[in-house]
Amino acid sequence: MAIIKDRLVVFALLVINKAGGLIYNREFHSGLNKMSSNDYLILAGTFHGVHAITKSLSPLPRTQSANGTSASAPSPFVNRPTGLEVLESAHFRLQCFQTVTGTKFLLFTEPQQPNVDNVMKRIYELYSDYVMKNPFYTVEMPIRCEKFDRSLDAFVKVKS
Amino acid sequence: MAIYSFYIFDRHTECIYSKRWLQQPQSSSKQARPTSASTTASVEMPARKALSAADDAKLIFGTVFSLRNIVKKLGGEDDAFLSYRTGDYKLHYYETPTRMKFVMLTDTKTNNLRVVLHQIWANLYVEFVVKNPLSPVEHPGGIGVANELFEMGLESFVSSVLVS
């Protein structure tokens, strides 16, 4: 469908490891303020902490929220509270995806961007293909994989 | 749409008003759940119960403060933090020009409540707290905020929002 494939504006992608360290940082479109690499590290650490707090702030007792999930097998992850998933501001929208191993993907897009979930899923696939399967990559360390960079570029630039 | 709680923070980072609309835990849902999942729930419960209402308010302030700073840094000074959503709840945020922060926690399907929070500030807070001759200029410990008119106005306003 042509309507769904409208243009995609992704400002930036950040990957935060499970300890809160910034392991990948990439800007695609200008639109956000320029920040130094030190500022990005601070942002990643702050977000990591805030994410943990938002997880514990849930006003509901845990038994209620899992009603909607239709898990077939009992899993320790199903009933776990999720932290911050989407942050909205006047100028951008931040989508956060946390893998079951604790790695967080932060995607900054335009405020009204549709289908960010699909984009995130595709980026996660690229990450698993070109980063996790790279034998020279050490887990939890900064990502320096040329193929990941190139495929990300191809994916984001083609869609925009 | 359901509203869980509402907080006002003054410019000295103090929580000067908080209100919770408690959700009645559904006893039927507990029975309908598979036993394996309810055991994991009972394991997680104690950690959550340890937090008091005052602790919650402090945590919410810290969260909102950090996120607001992140947003200002990334989007520029004229950017405004509006809301965030987790799997369980959504937090709406409104900051007045005097740095007062209005925060509301609702369920995840609610649309942005910035307008509602603005109305609470303009029509209720300013009318019944700021213009009250008996209330102090600042509200340390929440003195003067939780007066009868404000409480009643908030209650009726929130129920009118819930209906629409």
Side-chain angles (χ1 to χ4, degrees), chain A residues 31-35 39-40 42-43 46-47 50 53-67 74-76 79-95 108, chain B residues 4-5 23-26 29-30 33 36-37 40-41 44-45 48 51 56 59-60 62-63 66-67 70-91 105 112:
Chain A
L32 298 176
N33 278 3
K34 286 271 172 287
M35 296 206 306
D39 282 342
Y40 272 111
I42 294 170
L43 188 150
T46 314
F47 186 86
V50 168
I53 294 175
T54 56
K55 203 181 275 188
S56 76
L57 271 177
S58 172
L60 290 173
R62 288 303 316 154
T63 44
Q64 266 198 327
S65 56
N67 283 345
S75 152
N79 202 29
R80 224 162 52 161
T82 67
L84 198 158
E85 284 177 349
V86 180
L87 182 147
E88 283 172 322
S89 91
H91 290 187
F92 66 89
R93 178 189 145 104
L94 160 60
Q95 180 102 14
F108 296 86
Chain B
Y4 300 141
S5 52
Q23 290 290 112
Q24 292 300 320
Q26 291 165 5
S29 69
K30 226 170 201 171
R33 292 171 49 80
S36 56
T40 53
E44 282 177 54
M45 276 308 233
R48 179 68 197 125
L51 286 176
D56 257 4
L59 276 180
I60 286 175
T63 310
S66 306
L67 289 176
I70 289 178
V71 165
K72 290 258 187 247
K73 213 169 208 178
L74 280 168
E77 274 304 307
D78 56 336
D79 199 356
F81 166 46
L82 301 176
S83 67
Y84 77 74
R85 178 178 66 73
T86 77
D88 296 328
Y89 67 97
K90 186 167 177 175
L91 181 144
L105 268 68
N112 203 304

Side-chain angles (χ1 to χ4, degrees), chain B residues 71-148:
Chain B
V71 165
K72 290 258 187 247
K73 213 169 208 178
L74 280 168
E77 274 304 307
D78 56 336
D79 199 356
F81 166 46
L82 301 176
S83 67
Y84 77 74
R85 178 178 66 73
T86 77
D88 296 328
Y89 67 97
K90 186 167 177 175
L91 181 144
H92 307 262
Y93 177 74
Y94 173 70
E95 184 172 330
T96 71
T98 49
R99 295 267 166 93
M100 294 198 54
K101 296 166 178 68
F102 288 69
V103 175
M104 193 172 258
L105 268 68
T106 66
D107 63 356
T108 51
K109 291 175 199 76
T110 312
N111 283 331
N112 203 304
L113 289 183
R114 186 185 163 83
V115 184
V116 170
L117 290 174
H118 174 81
Q119 281 175 329
I120 289 177
W121 171 60
N123 299 337
L124 299 173
Y125 185 80
V126 171
E127 287 299 322
F128 300 137
V129 179
V130 177
K131 290 188 185 171
N132 181 359
L134 297 175
S135 113
V137 181
E138 299 280 340
H139 308 278
I143 303 163
V145 182
N147 61 53
E148 212 174 304

